[in-house]
Amino acid sequence: MPVAPPRPTDLPLTALRAFEAAARLGGFSAAAQELGVTPGAVTAHVKALEARLAARLFIRGPKGVELTALGARVLPEFTAAFDALGLAVHHLRAESAPKIVHIATLPALAQLWLSPRLPGLRAQMPGVEISITAMEAPPNLKRAPYDLSLFPGREGRLVAEEVIFPVCAPQLAARLTRPEDLADLPCLIDSAWAEDWQDWAAVAMPGTAFRPRGPVFSLYALAVEEAANGAGVLMAHGSLVAGHLARGQLVAPLPQRVRLPTALRLWSARSLKPGHPAERVARALRAP
């Protein structure tokens, strides 16, 4: 009679994914954030995997975890495998729903830069559905279900240069005729781009120990609206306040402008075929 030996049990894919993420990112908390689970869940998956293997993959210490020699040896293969799986899933999604384009971007870019352009994109591409997800950091497009990533950076298609300068409501402009006047005005500070003030002051006010004083905002779009309401002076990103400047809601009284080393860029993890909706969206958004 035919022999049917029991098939060896596979290692759980979820546990392997938890190991790869923790190993690549250097910790269970970072892996949990990427995977959308709790650090305790990542820890449990890794412990279960180590128990199945009867081998340690991490060395636990008071300052975190480190890979064992075994973990370090196998990590590149698992990273390549999960990257390949993620790209295959991207391809499957694109083939099954070719007229849906998912874009990940900063909340401020979604509200102030992308939103005004969506009507034009819809008019250019009838039938194409454009979904926007706002997040604070660029996703790993090899794994995350997005077609395009729009963030300040150094890689990808150039969309707009990052140029910063002070802006305020028209009624405050008379009080801001030189950089030194900022010491007597509230300076609106965005918590994510708090260093913008110092970057600009280093060029516009060299040798001056300038420290901005004023309210802090975690939403850049809210800081822009407060500047337009006359609450103070905001260090603006030119591409994000272009509409407010054009409508006269904000003015830029000072001539000094500083170009940042990063630029607004559009990036995709896979090659976009000419004519594909994602490629058409990317082409429509990039700099002329």
Side-chain angles (χ1 to χ4, degrees):
M1 64 184 289
V3 177
R7 184 175 184 272
T9 305
D10 288 333
L11 296 175
L13 185 63
T14 304
L16 294 172
R17 191 183 292 275
F19 156 71
E20 188 277 335
R24 172 171 45 85
L25 298 172
F28 293 169
S29 294
Q33 185 173 4
E34 180 178 276
L35 297 175
V37 298
T38 64
V42 173
T43 301
H45 284 309
V46 171
K47 283 184 176 180
L49 181 60
E50 290 176 323
R52 287 281 298 275
L53 294 170
R56 295 176 69 188
L57 297 169
F58 291 96
I59 299 171
R60 281 79 168 171
K63 295 184 178 181
V65 296
E66 294 182 10
L67 281 171
T68 62
L70 170 61
R73 284 198 305 272
V74 301
L75 174 60
E77 294 177 83
F78 278 103
T79 296
F82 280 116
D83 282 349
L85 178 60
L87 290 173
V89 171
H90 268 302
H91 183 68
L92 176 60
R93 288 178 184 272
E95 290 297 317
S96 63
K99 291 195 173 183
I100 298 177
V101 179
H102 297 266
I103 303 175
T105 189
L106 284 172
L109 288 172
Q111 293 173 277
L112 300 171
W113 197 89
L114 261 180
S115 179
R117 288 165 170 78
L118 290 178
L121 289 174
R122 287 196 301 270
Q124 291 180 50
M125 290 166 267
V128 174
E129 180 182 306
I130 301 173
S131 296
I132 312 296
T133 299
M135 56 185 64
E136 295 296 338
N140 180 354
L141 289 190
K142 294 179 180 179
R143 312 288 179 86
Y146 306 107
D147 299 295
L148 300 170
S149 172
L150 181 64
F151 281 84
R154 292 180 170 85
E155 296 182 2
R157 303 184 186 193
L158 177 65
V159 170
E161 297 288 352
E162 285 263 90
V163 179
I164 58 174
F165 49 89
V167 297
C168 64
Q171 61 265 32
L172 286 183
R175 297 172 57 189
L176 184 58
T177 60
R178 58 195 185 100
E180 290 74 15
D181 292 336
L182 290 166
D184 300 319
L185 290 167
C187 294
L188 311 185
I189 302 167
D190 177 78
S191 58
W193 288 330
E195 70 280 359
D196 285 352
W197 277 106
Q198 297 302 331
D199 291 342
W200 180 85
V203 175
M205 307 165 65
T208 302
F210 172 71
R211 292 188 178 278
R213 294 179 296 103
V216 179
F217 299 87
S218 63
L219 291 175
Y220 187 79
L222 179 57
V224 171
E225 291 306 313
E226 274 295 87
N229 291 336
V233 183
L234 174 68
M235 186 55 60
H237 288 238
S239 60
L240 300 186
V241 298
H244 287 75
L245 291 170
R247 293 187 296 271
Q249 295 170 284
L250 291 172
V251 295
L254 301 177
Q256 293 89 348
R257 280 157 168 71
V258 173
R259 179 172 293 180
L260 299 179
T262 58
L264 182 57
R265 293 183 179 273
L266 199 63
W267 190 78
S268 177
R270 57 191 174 87
S271 298
L272 300 176
K273 297 179 182 178
H276 187 278
E279 188 274 337
R280 292 169 61 196
V281 169
R283 186 157 27 93
L285 292 178
R286 67 184 173 183

